[in-house]
């Protein structure tokens, strides 16, 4: 039993120390000026927050956001149309380049053909020039020379 009493003596002071430390913490009060300062800070933050919440949900703000959304959608639609037009333009430019190349090729062919036609006409005229002097010197009529 002596050991139990000895232990109870040791336990009691611990409980008393614990009680005294808790009462010391509970006994401390927040200084009035600090409490008022915290309350003022809370109100100072709460009032603008409520004000901005009311403003953000106002009709003008909601209408402005809706108009902005519609404008963005319209802008995206116009941007898509512009992209399509640019793609079509690039396709048409490529077609035009092909057509221009075809025109250049056809002109070159035409010039070659014209040169060939002129050459053939000159060849046709040359024998006539050779025959004409012969026809005037011969006794045959020129009528038979033209019939080839």
């Amino acid at each position: 039993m002596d050991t139990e009493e000895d232990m109870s003596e040791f336990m009691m002071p611990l409980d008393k120390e614990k009680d005294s430390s808790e009462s010391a913490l509970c006994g401390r009060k927040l200084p009035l000026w600090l409490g008022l300062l915290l309350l003022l800070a809370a109100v100072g933050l709460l009032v603008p927050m409520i004000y901005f919440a009311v403003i953000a949900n106002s009709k003008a703000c909601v209408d402005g956001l809706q108009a902005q959304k519609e404008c963005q959608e319209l802008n995206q639609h116009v941007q898509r149309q512009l992209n399509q037009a640019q793609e079509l333009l690039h396709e048409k430019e490529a077609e035009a380049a092909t057509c221009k190349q075809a025109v250049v090729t056809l002109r070159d062919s035409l010039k070659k053909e014209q040169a060939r036609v002129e050459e053939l006409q000159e060849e046709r005229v040359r024998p006539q020039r050779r025959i004409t002097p012969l026809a005037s010197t011969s006794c045959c009529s020129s009528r038979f020379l033209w019939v080839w």
Side-chain angles (χ1 to χ4, degrees):
M1 290 249 207
D2 283 334
T3 56
E4 287 179 16
E5 288 178 7
D6 290 338
M7 289 191 76
S8 68
E9 289 176 12
F10 290 116
M11 292 294 262
M12 292 297 273
L14 288 177
D15 288 337
K16 287 180 182 177
E17 288 175 11
K18 186 177 179 182
D19 287 340
S20 65
S21 67
E22 285 179 3
S23 66
L25 289 175
C26 290
R28 286 188 177 173
K29 289 188 175 180
L30 196 62
L32 182 61
W33 66 270
L34 186 57
L36 289 175
L37 184 64
L38 289 174
L39 180 64
L40 185 62
V43 169
L45 292 174
L46 188 60
V47 168
M49 189 171 69
I50 291 171
Y51 174 76
F52 287 120
V54 169
I55 294 296
N57 291 320
S58 69
K59 182 171 176 14
C61 190
V62 170
D63 290 345
L65 289 173
Q66 181 64 30
Q68 181 182 4
K69 182 181 176 184
E70 290 172 4
C71 184
Q72 286 175 345
E73 290 173 357
L74 182 62
N75 189 21
Q76 290 171 353
H77 177 69
V78 169
Q79 186 65 42
R80 282 191 299 271
Q81 287 181 333
L82 175 63
N83 291 340
Q84 290 173 353
Q86 286 175 337
E87 289 174 11
L88 185 62
L89 174 65
H90 292 307
E91 290 174 11
K92 296 303 177 185
E93 285 175 342
E95 288 177 16
T98 304
C99 289
K100 285 180 182 179
Q101 186 59 41
V103 166
V104 168
T105 304
L106 289 172
R107 279 186 183 159
D108 290 343
S109 295
L110 179 62
K111 286 179 184 177
K112 288 177 185 176
E113 286 297 318
Q114 285 174 340
R116 178 73 179 139
V117 166
E118 286 177 10
E119 185 180 309
L120 289 173
Q121 285 177 347
E122 286 179 12
E123 286 180 11
R124 192 181 112 222
V125 170
R126 275 188 223 146
Q128 288 176 356
R129 287 183 187 159
R130 277 188 269 153
I131 293 173
T132 306
L134 290 174
S136 63
T137 59
S138 71
C139 61
C140 302
S141 111
S142 64
R143 184 175 101 193
F144 294 112
L145 293 175
W146 289 99
V147 180
W148 318 358

